[in-house]
Amino acid sequence: MVLKWKKENSGRWLLICGHENEHMNLKMMQMLIERLAEEGFYEIIFVLLEVHKNKEFVKDVKETLFQDMVISEWKSGKKDDMIKELIACLE
C-alpha cells in the first residue's frame, strides 16, 4: 500500500524524505500528517518527523508532545514507570 501511495504521491514523498527541501514548512507538515493519517500510514508520520527533526517547528512539536505525554502518564499514576523508563533511556 505504501508503495502505491508513494507512486501516486511522488511530490509528497519527496517532501517527506527530503530533509533539506525548501518547501517544507509548518503548513506543509500539517497537510502531510493529515494525508498520511487518512491513509493509515502512521509510521510514516514518525519518519517525516525524524527526517525533519532539525526544523524549529518540529523541535517545538516534539518538546510539547513529550511534555503532554509525561503529564498524562503522571496524572494516570504511572510515575514510577516513567522514572524507570527515563533511567533506562539514559543508560
Side-chain angles (χ1 to χ4, degrees):
M1 302 329 137
V2 174
L3 292 176
K4 181 180 177 188
W5 185 90
K6 178 184 173 251
K7 182 179 178 182
E8 294 171 355
N9 297 276
S10 60
R12 290 180 181 159
W13 186 256
L14 289 173
L15 285 168
I16 291 168
C17 297
H19 67 89
E20 293 297 326
N21 193 307
E22 67 274 3
H23 300 292
M24 181 55 70
N25 57 42
L26 181 58
K27 291 292 182 192
M28 185 63 68
M29 178 71 70
Q30 291 170 328
M31 184 274 298
L32 288 169
I33 291 171
E34 287 172 359
R35 298 294 186 272
L36 290 167
E38 286 171 4
E39 296 291 332
F41 299 144
Y42 303 108
E43 292 88 353
I44 304 297
I45 294 170
F46 292 98
V47 171
L48 172 66
L49 292 172
E50 187 62 25
V51 168
H52 298 283
K53 66 185 174 188
N54 293 327
K55 298 277 187 188
E56 202 58 42
F57 59 87
V58 174
K59 290 178 184 179
D60 294 343
V61 165
K62 284 183 168 183
E63 185 175 321
T64 300
L65 193 57
F66 172 75
Q67 290 175 5
D68 290 347
M69 290 173 65
V70 169
I71 290 167
S72 176
E73 291 294 300
W74 213 261
K75 285 181 178 178
S76 69
K78 298 180 182 177
K79 295 175 190 168
D80 292 334
D81 293 339
M82 287 294 300
I83 297 300
K84 287 177 189 175
E85 201 169 326
L86 174 63
I87 292 168
C89 288
L90 292 170
E91 293 179 347

